[in-house]
Amino acid sequence: MKRYLPSILFLAALLLLWQLGAGRMDAAYILPTPIGILRKLWELREPLFAIHLPATMKVTGIGLIISIVLGIGLAILMDASPVVEQALYPIVIASQTIPTTAIAPLFVVWFGYGIWSKIVVTILMTFFPITITVFDGFKSVKREMEELLISYGATPKDIFIKLKLPTALPHFFSAIKMAIPLSVIGAAIGEWLGAQSGLGYFSRRMMTQLDGAGVFAPIILLSAVAMILVGIISLLENILIKWRKEL
Amino acid sequence: MLTFKDVTFRYPEDKEAMMTDLSFQVEQGEFVSLIGASGCGKSTIFRLINRLLEPDSGEIFVGGQEIHKIRSYAGYMPQKDLLFPWRTIEKNLCLPMEIQKIDKEEQRRRSGEVLKEVGLEDYRNKYPKDLSGGMRQRISFARTLLTDADLMLLDEPFSALDALTRMDMQEWLLNQWEHFHKTILFITHDVEEAIFLSQKIYIITETPITHLEIVEVPENYPRKRDFLRRPEMETLKAKLTMQLRKQVM
């Protein structure tokens, strides 16, 4: 807890400053106070928690799962074959130079207003960090350990399962921790552009009603959920990777 | 046990060969040390035996069979312990047996036995990070034993240990060797270590290596460290050291 004290104090100071500043400005439609936002969150708890949060979580969840499968799959392929690596690596990097937000409206045209246009945005934002980080994990295998296994008569499959996967595990967790906030952002952007439900959609609707606190409330909820998810993954990581201190 | 027959090898990036037509033998049950200056090709010899490198010509036999025709014929113990940090001590020991697809129960039984032999049975479920340098080397040795190969290749296994632990480990290794009756080829650049441990010392005197000079250590086992202080041993040590220094210069 002590470790987090400086950041908690700093955040409290910022919020206090925000509260005082926004209170003085008295223009809640563009800058609501933090207390006003919390109050709004409480008022809107039913639609937010019962309808819009589950909708966004569905997009985030499906998008993240597809990204993990796709990312790990690509990483394995690139690790297994230098030709595949040479063919895919530049494309994977190039995919990140695409301004996702700018082309997201096209996805709505291609995939409709349903869930899939949002999922595509989410995937496009998250598969990259997963692919690259897991691939780097495979590459960080110690050559000497690989040779030791070869001296035992290990096949490439043995080397992959007994050495590469465990070596890449901490990298995998880092990738997931990076991908979660991105997937939430991706889902929100998708919903912002066109949807019938979801926190991004809800925030936008509040914008049209000039309800400043209503714009912030779902965003605060989204950040909180992302932080909780990252926290859960960190916890899982600490349980699964007890040996990490040595690295 | 181990035979090199006219082996020639050159690293592709080098102009000169590392060894040309090298032939030598290690007999069953022997403890042989291989010494030579840094970079003279000691580890290359191990890598050739392990098939991490392929000779340009010549053949290598272990137990009378050409090494391409057999599997799991040599247990290799590297300089660093290379224990896998994510595996418990027991699981680290099982590694070579897992690769040989040995039955799980049998793996547990054998690793338990060897753990007892190396005096670390209480550490079965600990992780490598919980062990000291000396203990880790013992586990690394135990893992090499569990390859079940008769030939053990030890590549400067004690060079990273402090002087006292190192002496302990040398005496411990001799006990293990006498107990398990393995054939040991031991790389070191420490002349005293080579004399204390081995029956024969093979010296690399030049590169490209065309032959190994062989010196026998006239002392029976079990050995006490005092014999190193005898005048003939001091002379042998001085002679070997001189030979190694000549290479460096």
Side-chain angles (χ1 to χ4, degrees):
Chain A
M1 203 61 207
K2 218 172 173 183
R3 197 154 56 100
Y4 296 113
L5 200 65
S7 68
I8 291 172
L9 285 178
F10 183 64
L11 185 68
L14 273 184
L15 286 172
L16 188 69
L17 211 67
W18 181 359
Q19 179 71 30
L20 293 175
R24 259 180 85 95
M25 208 169 122
D26 193 22
Y29 60 96
I30 46 170
L31 188 65
T33 62
I35 291 174
I37 296 170
L38 284 180
R39 202 178 289 137
K40 189 59 109 186
L41 200 59
W42 181 251
E43 277 169 25
L44 295 172
R45 63 188 181 280
E46 266 204 40
L48 281 181
F49 281 91
I51 302 167
H52 301 291
L53 180 62
T56 305
M57 283 301 103
K58 194 172 164 192
V59 173
T60 309
I62 298 176
L64 206 53
I65 288 170
I66 296 178
S67 282
I68 290 172
V69 173
L70 191 71
I72 294 179
L74 283 180
I76 292 174
L77 278 179
M78 291 200 296
D79 180 64
S81 150
V83 179
V84 177
E85 182 192 339
Q86 283 161 12
L88 286 184
Y89 201 88
I91 297 174
V92 173
I93 302 272
S95 77
Q96 284 314 286
T97 62
I98 301 170
T100 317
T101 329
I103 61 159
L106 270 181
F107 295 151
V108 179
V109 177
W110 293 344
F111 301 101
Y113 275 90
I115 191 171
W116 286 103
S117 55
K118 286 102 205 156
I119 290 176
V120 171
V121 180
T122 309
I123 294 172
L124 206 58
M125 290 186 78
T126 51
F127 93 96
F128 171 77
I130 298 177
T131 311
I132 298 301
T133 317
V134 174
F135 179 64
D136 283 348
F138 290 147
K139 287 281 167 221
S140 72
V141 158
K142 284 190 187 150
R143 179 84 196 128
E144 300 136 303
M145 286 188 170
E146 197 172 334
E147 288 183 352
L148 185 70
L149 287 185
I150 294 173
S151 84
Y152 294 157
T155 60
K157 189 179 149 206
D158 288 327
I159 291 170
F160 183 76
I161 293 173
K162 295 186 194 303
L163 181 60
K164 290 197 169 173
L165 277 189
T167 305
L169 199 61
H171 296 259
F172 172 71
F173 275 108
S174 302
I176 300 294
K177 284 194 281 186
M178 244 191 292
I180 285 174
L182 286 174
S183 69
V184 172
I185 295 170
I189 291 175
E191 290 165 354
W192 189 274
L193 291 166
Q196 286 104 26
S197 59
L199 294 172
Y201 154 80
F202 190 82
S203 176
R204 188 182 182 179
R205 206 176 78 190
M206 292 294 117
M207 182 82 108
T208 58
Q209 295 172 13
L210 291 180
D211 182 348
V215 173
F216 272 99
I219 292 171
I220 296 290
L221 182 58
L222 214 53
S223 312
V225 168
M227 279 193 275
I228 291 169
L229 287 177
V230 171
I232 292 172
I233 296 293
S234 299
L235 213 65
L236 205 67
E237 185 183 12
N238 286 337
I239 294 170
L240 282 175
I241 309 182
K242 290 199 199 88
W243 41 271
R244 189 166 209 175
K245 280 183 211 104
E246 193 168 326
L247 297 180
Chain B
M1 184 67 203
L2 170 71
T3 307
F4 264 55
K5 198 176 157 204
D6 303 324
V7 174
T8 298
F9 175 78
R10 182 178 67 87
Y11 281 102
E13 62 274 19
D14 288 351
K15 268 195 192 142
E16 251 195 11
M18 199 83 206
M19 59 193 72
T20 42
D21 296 327
L22 175 65
S23 299
F24 70 90
Q25 262 191 335
V26 176
E27 301 301 332
Q28 173 85 36
E30 270 186 333
F31 196 130
V32 171
S33 286
L34 184 60
I35 64 172
S38 298
C40 68
K42 300 186 294 279
S43 294
T44 307
I45 291 181
F46 273 21
R47 296 172 74 83
L48 285 164
I49 302 172
N50 272 330
R51 291 190 55 206
L52 293 170
L53 296 171
E54 289 293 328
D56 300 323
S57 65
E59 286 172 308
I60 301 167
F61 299 88
V62 171
Q65 285 185 291
E66 212 282 321
I67 55 174
H68 285 87
K69 294 178 187 146
I70 40 178
R71 275 188 78 193
S72 316
Y73 49 85
Y76 168 57
M77 178 177 175
Q79 194 170 353
K80 294 184 206 151
D81 57 70
L82 295 186
L83 297 178
F84 287 16
W86 53 87
R87 285 178 167 243
T88 59
I89 296 308
E90 183 182 29
K91 285 281 165 199
N92 262 292
L93 291 179
C94 289
L95 203 53
M97 295 186 282
E98 282 175 19
I99 287 167
Q100 290 168 25
K101 308 257 182 302
I102 287 170
D103 175 65
K104 281 240 162 65
E105 266 311 301
E106 180 68 8
Q107 288 184 19
R108 257 187 86 83
R109 194 185 63 74
R110 280 198 217 170
S111 61
E113 262 176 33
V114 173
L115 263 181
K116 211 181 266 176
E117 286 299 333
V118 300
L120 291 170
E121 47 195 323
D122 295 341
Y123 291 85
R124 178 189 279 262
N125 295 317
K126 298 263 193 239
Y127 284 88
K129 66 177 165 56
D130 305 321
L131 273 63
S132 68
M135 288 174 175
R136 293 171 65 123
Q137 286 300 20
R138 284 191 210 190
I139 295 299
S140 175
F141 179 81
R143 183 173 61 180
T144 314
L145 275 177
L146 287 165
T147 56
D148 209 25
D150 283 331
L151 174 65
M152 295 182 80
L153 307 171
L154 313 188
D155 190 353
E156 299 192 43
F158 308 142
S159 60
L161 301 176
D162 64 85
L164 287 177
T165 315
R166 191 171 181 166
M167 282 188 204
D168 272 353
M169 289 298 292
Q170 288 165 354
E171 286 159 24
W172 179 85
L173 177 64
L174 278 187
N175 287 332
Q176 298 293 317
W177 170 64
E178 286 168 55
H179 180 81
F180 287 103
H181 310 292
K182 300 275 182 183
T183 308
I184 294 183
L185 187 55
F186 186 99
I187 289 184
T188 178
H189 51 238
D190 178 342
V191 169
E192 193 168 302
E193 184 170 64
I195 297 175
F196 177 64
L197 291 173
S198 36
Q199 293 165 306
K200 287 181 191 164
I201 301 174
Y202 290 8
I203 312 151
I204 297 176
T205 50
E206 60 193 353
T207 5
I209 313 167
T210 52
H211 71 289
L212 298 175
E213 210 168 303
I214 299 174
V215 172
E216 295 209 19
V217 181
E219 176 71 18
N220 293 328
Y221 297 92
R223 289 178 177 175
K224 288 263 175 286
R225 204 164 275 278
D226 310 343
F227 87 90
L228 291 169
R229 303 280 89 82
R230 289 212 307 266
E232 71 266 31
M233 292 300 162
E234 292 286 0
T235 316
L236 176 60
K237 200 168 123 184
K239 184 183 142 200
L240 291 175
T241 308
M242 188 81 103
Q243 264 177 322
L244 290 189
R245 287 193 67 188
K246 236 189 276 169
Q247 284 177 59
V248 177
M249 285 189 285

